[in-house]
Amino acid sequence: MTDVIGIYGASGFGREVLPLVREQYSSVELVFIDDGFQSDNLNGYKVLSFDDFLEVEATSKKLTVAIADSKIREAVTKKCEERNLPIINISASNVVILDEVEIGQGSILCPFVTVTSNVQIGKSFHANIYSYVAHDCVIGDYVTFAPRVHCNGNIHIDDFAYIGTGAVIKQGSPDKPLKIGKGAIVGMGAVVTKDVPAGTIVIGNPAKPLERKS
Ligand code: UDP
């Protein structure tokens, strides 16, 4: 029997994460876990349903939840926690992390990510390629950064926020951090210069709330 690691999500992000797991863990069997995949093989690896993964005989079983949607990620994470399946932290070999950084369980830090000093990050954080988090940021649970997010110093980002590709968030100050509220969405390329209320979608430069046409 061997140690097995499951990459939950056999879609685009899962295919990007599996090679990082392979690099971080040698001598383990890697499988994709997916509940909606039409084939039993992807990029040369088995694709199992969650139920089939539970049946796999192994010395140990762990997994990473490589699903970008934060609400789905939370549901899948809870399902795995209920089964006492350990959820691991994945970090590309060239990730840079400086001093006094805390990162919760289930993070995925993709290639070229940088987290500088005195940063606190909650559980299940995804930072896609080339993103950075600068000094004194506080990031909640299930936060997702698309590629190349520029998160400058003294920014607080609440749970379930999604920051789109190439967004730039202006730095706050120690007495007045810039705040991005719970479940907010920052559109790709947005330049965020002031607080974003919870549940709001902002786009553009300077970023403004998206006006929905009814
Ligand atoms: N998925 C799953 N179980 C769930 C919800 C989603 O296996 O309860 C899978 C879904 O079948 C899909 C993947 O998760 O293959 C999510 O992929 P998607 O293309 O939506 O986004 P990505 O996270 O790759 O950007």
Side-chain angles (χ1 to χ4, degrees), residues 8-16 33-38 48-50 65-69 72-73 75-76 79 126 128:
Y8 212 129
S11 191
F13 192 52
R15 279 182 284 119
E16 294 176 333
I33 307 168
D34 200 290
D35 305 301
F37 200 71
Q38 298 306 320
L48 305 177
S49 67
F50 184 60
V65 185
I67 297 176
D69 183 286
I72 298 178
R73 190 151 90 239
V76 168
K79 186 170 77 171
H126 283 188
N128 214 314

Side-chain angles (χ1 to χ4, degrees), residues 64-65 73 87-90 104-108 123-126:
T64 174
V65 185
R73 190 151 90 239
I87 299 182
I88 52 181
N89 287 20
I90 300 301
Q105 200 186 15
S107 61
I108 299 178
K123 72 190 287 191
S124 201
F125 176 56
H126 283 188

Side-chain angles (χ1 to χ4, degrees), residues 88-141:
I88 52 181
N89 287 20
I90 300 301
S91 179
S93 59
N94 66 358
V95 164
V96 174
I97 296 183
L98 301 183
D99 285 346
E100 303 295 331
V101 172
E102 276 175 42
I103 302 181
Q105 200 186 15
S107 61
I108 299 178
L109 306 181
C110 293
F112 303 100
V113 163
T114 297
V115 182
T116 72
S117 295
N118 302 91
V119 171
Q120 244 183 285
I121 298 175
K123 72 190 287 191
S124 201
F125 176 56
H126 283 188
N128 214 314
I129 50 174
Y130 295 104
S131 286
Y132 69 76
V133 182
H135 66 89
D136 300 302
C137 284
V138 179
I139 293 180
D141 295 334

Side-chain angles (χ1 to χ4, degrees), residues 165-206:
T165 300
V168 179
I169 311 170
K170 186 183 179 185
Q171 72 172 58
S173 59
D175 52 329
K176 196 174 180 306
L178 188 147
K179 290 187 180 158
I180 296 192
K182 188 170 180 176
I185 296 175
V186 174
M188 68 167 77
V191 177
V192 179
T193 56
K194 52 187 189 189
D195 291 357
V196 178
T200 307
I201 303 172
V202 295
I203 55 167
N205 177 10

